[in-house]
Amino acid sequence: MTNTIVNSWNEWDPLRHVIVGRADDCHIPPAEPALDAKVPEDSDMRGQWGKRPQDTIDRANELLDTFARQLEARGIRVDRPTSIDHSKPATTPDFHTDSQFGCMPPRDVLLTVGSEILEATMSYRCRWFEYLNYRPLLQKYWEEDPNFRHEAAPKPRLTDADYHPDYLNEKIGDAQRLKWAEEKHFVTTEEEPLFDAADVLRFGRDLVVQHGFTTNLKGIEWLRRHFPDHRVHTVNFPGDPYPIHIDATFTPLRPGLILNNPQRRLPADQRAMYEKNGWEIVDAAQPAHNAPPPLCYSSTWLSMNVLVLDPKTVCVEASEHYQMEQMDKLGMNVIPVDLRDAYAFGGGLHCCTADVYREGTCEDYFP
Ligand code: ABU
C-alpha cells in the first residue's frame, strides 16, 4: 500500500501533518537591498545585525514548542527543521552577505501543492540557503512516500540588477511607498524569476499570488509554467507600503469565506472570480496592538496570520482578542495560541508553519 506523506491543496482542509519552525540560531542579517526595503523606516532594527539575543531565542522556542505540542494533542503530526549555522556568510559567485536568517518561518520557503513541496527561489540574499534547514525532512518524506515530488525553483543570482536602487534610500516615506505600490513599482526588478512561498495562497485548482517586494511577475510566470494544471492569479494590495507575503493581508478560512486586511483591500477589478462564485470577502478585525514587538520585521497585521486546522477550527494568537471575537462570530471554533514573543523571528501562526498533509483533493472552487 502506498504511504502518502505529502498532500495539501488548500489552506483549510483538515490538517494532519505540519512543519513548525524553530528560532534556533536566528540572526538579524546585515543590510541588503530587498531586506532593507521591508524594514520599516522607524524600526529599531535599522543599522543592527548579528545573532538575536539568546533569551529572546529561548522564549520564542518555548512558544513554538508549546504550539507544536498543542497541535500534537489534537492528533496532528508535527515535524521540526534542523537548524544550519546561520552565522555563516552566504557567498555565491554573484554576492556575499555576512550572515543568514534562520529556520523560521518555513511558510516563506516551502510551498506545498498536492503531493509536491516546492522550495521557493527567495529574494533576500541572506535567505538563499534557507532551504537547507528543511532538507533532512524533505529527504525523509522522499524516502517514505514514492509519490512525493520534491522540487526546487531555479536559484536566482541576486545581483544588484535584481533590485531597484531608488528603494535603497533610507528615507522614502509612506506616501512615496504607497504611490510606488499603486504603480506596482517594487524593490525587486524583473531581471529573473523571484518568489517567496508565502506570497502564494492555495485554493485547489487556483493559486493566488501576490506581486510585491518578494515576488515579481517573472516569478509568477514561473509558477504558472510549473503548475500547468492550475490557474495562477496575480493580485495586488495597493494599501501596503511594505508589501511582502500575502498571509497578513488575505486569509481564506473555508470555502466561500476570506478575511481581507481593511488597509490592503483587494481592488474591485480583482474581485470578479470570488463574487461570481458566491465567495464573501470580509474585513478582518483590527489588531489588538498598536505596534509590533521589538526587533520585528512584520506589521501589526500578524493578527490575521492564523492557522486554519479545518473549516470550523482556527488557531489565533492569544492576545489578538478582536480577531478571536470576529472568528467566533464567523462560526469558527477558536484555539488561542501564545506566539507574540516569537513574531520577531519571522511572523505569526501561518508563517511559522508549512503544510505537509491536509485531507482532501484538488477541487475547483471557481468554475
Ligand atoms: N510575513 C507576513 C508579514 C506581512 C506583514 O508584515 O504585514
Side-chain angles (χ1 to χ4, degrees):
M1 219 172 77
T2 306
N3 185 20
T4 302
I5 305 284
V6 178
N7 180 70
S8 179
W9 294 100
N10 58 48
E11 309 290 332
W12 56 78
D13 271 346
L15 184 67
R16 299 289 176 236
H17 186 177
V18 72
I19 298 171
V20 173
R22 288 189 195 277
D24 298 10
D25 196 46
C26 189
H27 279 62
I28 297 175
E32 62 160 291
L35 180 72
D36 289 5
K38 165 62 182 166
V39 180
E41 289 178 23
D42 56 357
S43 169
D44 53 351
M45 304 176 77
R46 291 243 165 203
Q48 298 207 44
W49 71 277
K51 189 173 173 189
R52 286 180 179 266
Q54 191 59 43
D55 59 322
T56 67
I57 292 180
D58 293 343
R59 170 71 180 146
N61 269 337
E62 185 187 320
L63 296 177
L64 290 162
D65 293 350
T66 306
F67 179 37
R69 282 196 297 271
Q70 275 180 285
L71 295 171
E72 282 169 344
R74 303 184 70 87
I76 297 167
R77 174 172 161 194
V78 178
D79 285 337
R80 312 297 298 277
T82 306
S83 180
I84 58 169
D85 180 353
H86 299 110
S87 70
K88 287 204 170 140
T91 305
T92 73
D94 294 303
F95 68 79
H96 169 86
T97 184
D98 278 317
S99 92
Q100 301 179 56
F101 189 93
C103 47
M104 253 288 283
R107 188 74 64 174
D108 294 3
V109 185
L110 303 177
L111 175 63
T112 310
V113 177
S115 61
E116 169 171 339
I117 298 183
L118 171 66
E119 295 166 3
T121 68
M122 311 307 287
S123 52
Y124 294 177
R125 292 169 178 166
C126 60
R127 305 192 76 179
W128 207 88
F129 289 109
E130 203 163 307
Y131 66 94
L132 292 174
N133 293 289
Y134 304 102
R135 279 286 171 95
L137 289 176
L138 299 192
Q139 280 175 354
K140 188 162 167 285
Y141 303 159
W142 195 84
E143 297 290 347
E144 290 174 7
D145 177 354
N147 293 322
F148 168 46
R149 288 169 58 87
H150 178 185
E151 297 274 359
K155 292 307 284 177
R157 300 191 68 164
L158 300 186
T159 67
D160 288 346
D162 275 294
Y163 309 106
H164 284 121
D166 44 8
Y167 267 99
L168 304 188
N169 193 336
E170 281 197 3
K171 290 279 167 222
I172 298 170
D174 269 7
Q176 182 62 58
R177 284 174 177 273
L178 287 167
K179 182 169 175 287
W180 281 344
E182 182 84 40
E183 293 163 358
K184 300 177 191 165
H185 171 67
F186 302 116
V187 63
T188 38
T189 65
E190 292 295 335
E191 175 71 9
E192 59 184 337
L194 298 176
F195 67 94
D196 276 12
D199 279 314
V200 184
L201 289 174
R202 301 153 309 139
F203 294 73
R205 260 206 77 188
D206 294 84
L207 299 175
V208 172
V209 191
Q210 171 173 242
H211 174 209
F213 282 4
T214 38
T215 294
N216 62 12
L217 293 173
K218 280 195 177 153
I220 299 175
E221 177 56 21
W222 189 90
L223 287 164
R224 185 172 287 119
R225 294 186 200 183
H226 183 72
F227 292 113
D229 297 332
H230 281 73
R231 293 176 293 239
V232 176
H233 309 269
T234 305
V235 284
N236 297 95
F237 299 95
D240 185 0
Y242 298 91
I244 77 160
H245 304 165
I246 194 168
D247 54 358
T249 298
F250 209 55
T251 302
L253 296 179
R254 59 183 182 236
L257 183 62
I258 303 172
L259 288 187
N260 190 187
N261 184 321
Q263 285 179 5
R264 310 173 186 170
R265 287 206 178 94
L266 185 68
D269 62 348
Q270 297 178 37
R271 290 178 173 246
M273 102 179 184
Y274 307 98
E275 288 168 354
K276 264 200 333 225
N277 289 283
W279 283 58
E280 206 185 346
I281 301 178
V282 300
D283 280 355
Q286 286 297 311
H289 304 273
N290 295 325
L295 301 178
C296 181
Y297 296 98
S298 306
S299 74
T300 55
W301 289 99
L302 289 182
S303 53
M304 57 181 293
N305 187 275
V306 298
L307 181 70
V308 177
L309 299 190
D310 64 53
K312 288 192 172 138
T313 314
V314 63
C315 296
V316 183
E317 206 289 320
S319 66
E320 297 293 349
H321 48 269
Y322 300 124
Q323 192 54 80
M324 287 196 286
E325 248 169 62
Q326 182 188 34
M327 291 292 188
D328 185 55
K329 286 193 183 128
L330 290 168
M332 304 292 287
N333 299 318
V334 178
I335 302 169
V337 178
D338 197 2
L339 200 79
R340 187 169 159 82
D341 290 347
Y343 277 6
F345 291 78
L349 292 160
H350 192 259
C351 301
C352 80
T353 55
D355 286 18
V356 180
Y357 193 98
R358 288 183 188 264
E359 282 177 10
T361 53
C362 183
E363 290 190 34
D364 189 349
Y365 299 97
F366 305 103

